[in-house]
Amino acid sequence: MEDDTGERSSFVVGFIENRAKEVGVAAFDLRSASLHLSQYIETSSSYQNTKTLLRFYEPMVIIVSPNKLAADGMVGVSQLADRVCSSTKKVIMARGCFDDTRGAVLVKGLAAKEPSALGLDSYYKQYYLCLAAAAATIKWYDAMATSNLLDVLLKYFICSSCMTEAEKGVIITNHSLLVTFNGSFDHMNIDSTSVQNLEIIEPMHSSLLGTNSKKKSLFHMLKTTRTIGGTRLLRANLLQPLKDIETINTRLDCLDELMSNEQLFFGLSEALRKFPKETDRVLCHFCFKPKKVTNEVLASDNGRRSQIMISSIILLKTALDALPLLSKVLKEAKSCLLGNVYKTICENETYASIRERIGEVMDEDVLHTRVPFVARTQQCFAVKAGADGLLDMARRSFCDTSEAIHSLANKYRQDFKLPNLKIPFNNRQGFYFSIPQKDIQGKLPSKFIQVVKHGNNVHCSSRELASLNVRNKSAAKECWLRTALCLEALMDAIREDVLVLTVLSEVLCLLDMMVNSFAHTISTKPVDRYTRARFTCDGPLAIDSGRHPILESIHNDFIPNSVFLSEASNMAIVMGPNMSGKSTYLQQVCLLVILAQIGCYIPARFATLRVVDRIFTRMGTMDSLESNSSTFMTEMKETAFIMQNVSDRSLIVMDELGRATSSSDGFAIAWSCCEHLLALKAYSIFATHMESLSALSTMYPNVKILHFDVDVRNNRMDFKFLLKDGSRHVPHYGLMLAGVAGLPCSVVEAAKKITSRITEKEMKRMEVNCRQYEDIKLTYRVAQRLMCLKYSDQDEDSLREALQNLKENYIGGSL
């Protein structure tokens, strides 16, 4: 399974549950040498929380116990894994492997942080299930690392070099793992259905739209990061945005400084380019090590492990060489985040010490490169000359065969009159010939073999070249093995400071996301397009986009010009005919909240937000063949999940609830769901074409009615995509479309008479409700405006003037 960065997933995830509906999760990331532990109560029989985690980690292996331990009525995580991740390898381990006591001991021994810093002593009893899952996950790794079964993983990671350190006889270095407790639920929770509905990672129906479609997801719009780790961090933040206001504001303060200080922004961009894209990967090569490296072990080694170890040290050397420039750029930074980075990384002498140790062994001219043959040569000449006699002999053989290959190419150019013959190199087949087709007169001479057309060129080889390739590869392998022996002591010395490498990796990923994603995205748009959202503990949800095109890479529409909800008005009912933009409006409001809570500016004039703990969506209409559910049943299951799990801090968006059943039943369900949500403090945005729902505003003062502006001229509709207060009735909208579709005129006229009678009765009922609830509505309107003034940034004179206007409007009855 590949993640959205185009790389294969590196997570091994262990699950265990009990009959109290608790689930323990241990996610072991083999790429970054980290262990994430979570324990939670599964509130849904459909395992929405667990599905969300599976979507988040996209594991390559899932570890479960053989027995069903779930509560009655729940399928169990083992069957859930079969359903949700059918293509993922599932490992069943004995119940005894899930030992929480053993898990606590392992975590204490392997964690890079002190047990007291992890809070392990206090969390032990509270999180016993995730520790049990950790015990099974680490046991699985140990079993794979000491058996030939790990060859399966090596084949699985054929395109990813990071796993090759985990070969036979490889163990985890003590105090090297980055361990986090309950990390997933310290953030906003977005269930897997909402991730799809909001198009956070992938646009809906992307397979149908094709790869050249202009419609993109939020992730693809922001994915301008340069490193693989930065891209993964961006994806993780979008799937699980922050909830801590202090952390969010720290990121926003950093973004303020980047956007106001061009020298800092461009300086950081340039400094980050000096770090190799794979810097975050280097950590895992120092966290895993062979139990013992001897000449006998190296004799049976295929050279790949040695090559990766050498490449890791070269990459680390290049990254450490880039630190002085980063230090120079950050020295004058004023924001808390960048200041902490400077103190933690740039003022830490450990990095200079590691660089000094590397300089004692490694040649100073060796640099990290992605060009295959240059990288191969760098690895062969990584260690200083004279360190090992056998290594010097292997190097001489490598140089001789490389020179012979280029001499052979020159000979062929002259003998066969092929002046444009080239000799490229790749890691799979070594050196080969590349000849432009225009230079070939008739057939190639018989000396050339393995002839393959490749665009405008012909790729081929010869027996002499094949023989030299074998000798060259053998010499390179010997260089890698001898170099590995020379570097083993250096590797052990570096492993002693593995914690600072973990910090460096995390900092670079964070800076990559902040500079190359957030700041870069904002800087490519006009100045007035983006603004910093203001967060309050109990303030309103207020966004004014000023009718700017927003997230235009995702939608070609204009986002509605504003949305405002406060404590006094916690539900907005958005009305309008089909195709007026209601679904786009719901989707984009959620995307704005997500953007704000990952610490990024949002495309708006101003925004005031309350931190959201969960986003719930009920959007789209389709049958679910997997669960044997009709469209209406799917609607009801999604709505039931929302009702059972909503909190006062949630954001709920519902699109056209009840349209998959009869009009009377659908209206009744929509009305009752609105009343249920109105009793909460959660913000709800409810899009509907049922105009009768506007009657809620006459009974409940905390309901706000909005509509999309539509002009009807000569029986034609012009959609303005502008959101306005109040409801607006577009007369006989459905009948107009029916006429356009070709329904007989007599049928349309009869329908108009029927709907006019129904409308007349509804208007009389609404007039009665308006008179009955007008006083309390007026009081709530005053409270709503006072709430706005409370969180505004206006000066004292402006506030006095606003209060005076409010008083006059209240007395005059024009509020």
Side-chain angles (χ1 to χ4, degrees):
M1 182 181 296
E2 292 186 359
D3 61 22
D4 297 281
T5 65
E7 290 205 338
R8 294 190 181 275
S9 168
S10 59
F11 277 99
V12 178
V13 181
F15 284 97
I16 188 171
E17 62 188 332
N18 61 19
R19 299 193 179 279
K21 297 185 178 182
E22 287 184 297
V23 180
V25 182
F28 187 14
D29 187 358
L30 298 173
R31 180 181 285 125
S32 62
S34 57
L35 182 65
H36 307 282
L37 305 177
S38 300
Q39 184 165 328
Y40 53 91
I41 297 176
E42 187 54 80
T43 55
S44 168
S45 59
S46 58
Y47 286 87
Q48 284 294 336
N49 291 330
T50 307
K51 287 180 182 177
T52 301
L53 279 184
L54 286 171
R55 167 105 184 166
F56 180 75
Y57 291 122
E58 294 186 339
M60 65 171 186
V61 177
I62 296 176
I63 301 171
V64 294
S65 63
N67 302 322
K68 177 186 173 183
L69 303 172
D72 294 338
M74 300 182 74
V75 296
V77 292
S78 180
Q79 293 186 34
L80 178 72
D82 292 334
R83 295 179 182 180
V84 178
C85 304
S86 57
S87 60
T88 302
K89 178 179 176 60
K90 187 176 80 171
V91 177
I92 299 176
M93 297 186 70
R95 179 66 181 86
C97 297
F98 292 84
D99 184 348
D100 55 316
T101 304
R102 174 65 178 163
V105 173
L106 289 171
V107 170
K108 283 183 178 180
L110 298 174
K113 295 180 180 179
E114 291 293 328
S116 57
L118 286 173
L120 191 57
D121 295 334
S122 58
Y123 287 149
Y124 172 69
K125 293 183 179 179
Q126 185 178 355
Y127 295 125
Y128 69 98
L129 278 179
C130 62
L131 291 172
T137 304
I138 296 173
K139 185 176 180 65
W140 172 88
Y141 172 82
D142 288 340
M144 295 291 282
T146 55
S147 70
N148 293 327
L149 293 176
L150 211 63
D151 292 340
V152 176
L153 287 182
L154 296 179
K155 292 177 182 177
Y156 186 88
F157 274 85
I158 193 69
C159 297
S160 180
S161 62
C162 64
M163 274 299 299
T164 54
E165 278 298 316
E167 295 191 45
K168 184 176 179 181
V170 175
I171 60 174
I172 307 171
T173 309
N174 285 337
H175 305 297
S176 63
L177 289 186
L178 175 65
V179 180
T180 59
F181 268 99
N182 204 30
S184 298
F185 295 93
D186 288 338
H187 298 73
M188 183 204 294
N189 186 284
I190 309 174
D191 59 86
S192 56
T193 302
S194 297
V195 171
Q196 295 173 352
N197 289 340
L198 299 175
E199 301 178 289
I200 296 174
I201 303 299
E202 289 291 341
M204 296 182 74
H205 313 302
S206 56
S207 59
L208 299 177
L209 292 169
T211 55
N212 294 325
S213 170
K214 292 183 179 179
K215 187 175 183 181
K216 295 182 180 180
S217 66
L218 182 62
F219 173 64
H220 288 132
M221 189 198 78
L222 294 172
K223 195 175 73 171
T224 52
T225 48
R226 293 192 67 258
T227 66
I228 296 170
T231 304
R232 288 201 306 268
L233 180 63
L234 172 64
R235 181 182 182 276
N237 273 263
L238 291 174
L239 289 173
Q240 294 184 335
L242 301 169
K243 285 199 306 187
D244 181 59
I245 294 181
E246 184 177 352
T247 306
I248 296 171
N249 283 328
T250 298
R251 288 188 180 180
L252 290 172
D253 291 340
C254 172
L255 208 51
D256 286 344
E257 185 173 16
L258 289 173
M259 300 315 299
S260 61
N261 189 338
E262 290 187 3
Q263 185 177 357
L264 176 63
F265 172 57
F266 290 110
L268 269 177
S269 299
E270 182 62 29
L272 290 174
R273 289 194 190 98
K274 301 294 183 182
F275 291 89
K277 292 184 177 181
E278 304 88 349
T279 301
D280 65 298
R281 280 188 184 176
V282 75
L283 173 64
C284 69
H285 304 311
F286 298 101
C287 292
F288 302 104
K289 73 171 184 177
K291 291 181 179 178
K292 189 176 182 182
V293 176
T294 62
N295 290 328
E296 290 75 15
V297 171
L298 290 175
S300 61
D301 199 322
N302 63 3
R304 182 61 172 163
R305 176 193 296 169
S306 304
Q307 185 182 8
I308 295 301
M309 183 180 74
I310 299 164
S311 177
S312 298
I313 297 180
I314 294 174
L315 189 146
L316 178 59
K317 172 182 174 293
T318 306
L320 294 176
D321 286 339
L323 278 179
L325 178 58
L326 181 66
S327 176
K328 181 180 178 181
V329 174
L330 290 177
K331 190 171 185 180
E332 303 300 326
K334 295 180 174 58
S335 64
C336 179
L337 190 151
L338 296 179
N340 286 338
V341 169
Y342 181 79
K343 292 177 183 177
T344 305
I345 302 297
C346 304
E347 293 184 348
N348 192 332
E349 297 179 357
T350 307
Y351 297 105
S353 175
I354 296 175
R355 178 63 184 87
E356 186 178 346
R357 291 178 199 164
I358 294 175
E360 293 171 356
V361 180
M362 304 281 288
D363 193 289
E364 288 297 327
D365 295 331
V366 172
L367 297 174
H368 172 72
T369 179
R370 299 175 66 88
V371 180
F373 182 68
V374 178
R376 193 184 199 191
T377 305
Q378 296 277 46
Q379 291 160 9
C380 290
F381 289 85
V383 175
K384 290 181 176 179
D388 184 288
L390 294 176
L391 173 60
D392 292 339
M393 292 176 61
R395 285 172 172 170
R396 191 174 302 114
S397 176
F398 175 79
C399 291
D400 290 344
T401 52
S402 298
E403 185 177 347
I405 289 171
H406 286 85
S407 298
L408 180 66
N410 288 328
K411 181 176 182 297
Y412 284 176
R413 290 188 188 103
Q414 296 175 3
D415 293 350
F416 300 110
K417 294 181 173 54
L418 296 170
N420 296 315
L421 181 146
K422 296 181 180 179
I423 184 78
F425 174 88
N426 64 40
N427 290 323
R428 183 176 59 84
Q429 63 185 113
F431 289 97
Y432 60 93
F433 298 124
S434 177
I435 308 171
Q437 289 191 20
K438 63 180 181 179
D439 291 355
I440 301 173
Q441 304 297 329
K443 285 188 175 182
L444 278 172
S446 59
K447 188 174 285 290
F448 292 100
I449 61 175
Q450 301 174 351
V451 180
V452 177
K453 289 185 178 180
H454 191 273
N456 295 325
N457 299 317
V458 171
H459 293 177
C460 56
S461 183
S462 69
R463 288 182 175 84
E464 293 95 329
L465 180 61
S467 175
L468 288 171
N469 261 331
V470 171
R471 291 166 55 191
N472 184 264
K473 184 177 181 180
S474 176
K477 177 181 175 181
E478 182 65 23
C479 289
W480 297 333
L481 299 180
R482 301 307 307 176
T483 301
L485 276 177
C486 296
L487 295 180
E488 190 58 34
L490 176 62
M491 287 287 288
D492 287 338
I494 294 174
R495 288 187 183 107
E496 294 177 1
D497 297 314
V498 70
L499 181 57
V500 297
L501 299 184
T502 306
V503 175
L504 176 62
S505 172
E506 291 180 342
V507 165
L508 291 177
C509 292
L510 179 60
L511 288 177
D512 185 27
M513 183 179 71
M514 294 295 300
V515 177
N516 293 321
S517 178
F518 295 176
H520 172 77
T521 300
I522 298 166
S523 65
T524 57
K525 300 292 188 296
V527 178
D528 62 344
R529 287 285 177 88
Y530 283 80
T531 189
R532 172 176 177 162
R534 182 181 179 187
F535 287 91
T536 61
C537 296
D538 297 299
L541 168 63
I543 301 171
D544 180 7
S545 68
R547 295 180 58 187
H548 288 307
I550 191 165
L551 305 180
E552 55 269 18
S553 300
I554 304 176
H555 299 287
N556 292 325
D557 303 327
F558 281 84
I559 192 171
N561 58 316
S562 64
V563 55
F564 176 81
L565 293 172
S566 69
E567 294 289 350
S569 176
N570 65 326
M571 174 178 285
I573 298 180
V574 183
M575 313 192 73
N578 294 329
M579 297 175 59
S580 61
K582 299 189 300 297
S583 299
T584 300
Y585 172 72
L586 297 186
Q587 189 181 37
Q588 291 184 340
V589 167
C590 293
L591 293 179
L592 290 174
V593 171
I594 291 170
L595 267 180
Q597 287 194 215
I598 65 175
C600 184
Y601 285 4
I602 67 172
R605 283 180 176 172
F606 70 85
T608 301
L609 305 175
R610 185 180 69 181
V611 171
V612 172
D613 65 351
R614 296 191 71 164
I615 288 181
F616 295 98
T617 64
R618 210 244 54 81
M619 306 172 74
T621 55
M622 63 180 64
D623 296 338
S624 176
L625 299 179
E626 295 178 353
S627 59
N628 193 27
S629 299
S630 65
T631 301
F632 179 63
M633 179 57 74
T634 303
E635 275 191 36
M636 292 302 98
K637 285 183 176 180
E638 292 178 358
T639 305
F641 173 72
I642 294 173
M643 298 301 181
Q644 292 168 8
N645 295 279
V646 67
S647 72
D648 289 345
R649 291 282 176 175
S650 300
L651 174 63
I652 306 112
V653 295
M654 288 193 171
D655 187 15
E656 298 284 11
L657 180 63
R659 61 180 163 183
T661 185
S662 66
S663 58
S664 58
D665 287 354
F667 173 72
I669 291 171
W671 184 285
S672 59
C673 286
C674 285
E675 288 192 318
H676 179 83
L677 294 174
L678 284 169
L680 306 173
K681 292 183 179 180
Y683 291 139
S684 305
I685 306 178
F686 203 99
T688 182
H689 67 278
M690 302 177 186
E691 296 179 358
S692 300
L693 281 179
S694 62
L696 280 165
S697 64
T698 65
M699 301 171 60
Y700 296 94
N702 52 334
V703 174
K704 187 169 187 174
I705 303 296
L706 305 168
H707 74 274
F708 281 92
D709 195 25
V710 180
D711 281 345
V712 180
R713 297 176 182 176
N714 300 324
N715 288 332
R716 295 178 62 86
M717 287 174 292
D718 179 20
F719 296 105
K720 299 296 185 181
F721 299 108
L722 297 179
L723 197 66
K724 294 186 176 181
D725 286 338
S727 60
R728 183 187 176 188
H729 177 62
V730 180
H732 308 309
Y733 165 78
L735 300 181
M736 291 171 60
L737 285 185
V740 173
L743 226 61
C745 294
S746 59
V747 174
V748 175
E749 289 300 324
K752 286 183 179 179
K753 293 178 182 178
I754 295 171
T755 192
S756 63
R757 294 174 187 171
I758 296 173
T759 303
E760 185 180 351
K761 292 181 179 179
E762 286 294 319
M763 291 300 295
K764 290 180 179 179
R765 185 173 61 83
M766 289 182 66
E767 288 176 4
V768 173
N769 286 338
C770 284
R771 289 194 298 270
Q772 184 176 356
Y773 294 100
E774 184 61 33
D775 291 341
I776 192 170
K777 280 184 62 178
L778 192 59
T779 304
Y780 264 78
R781 286 174 186 169
V782 172
Q784 188 180 43
R785 281 155 178 77
L786 290 174
M787 184 73 68
C788 293
L789 294 174
K790 175 183 177 182
Y791 292 104
S792 69
D793 295 326
Q794 300 181 53
D795 55 35
E796 184 176 344
D797 292 338
S798 299
L799 287 174
R800 289 182 181 278
E801 183 180 353
L803 288 171
Q804 182 63 32
N805 291 335
L806 178 61
K807 179 180 178 181
E808 292 173 358
N809 290 334
Y810 178 78
I811 296 173
S814 59
L815 189 63

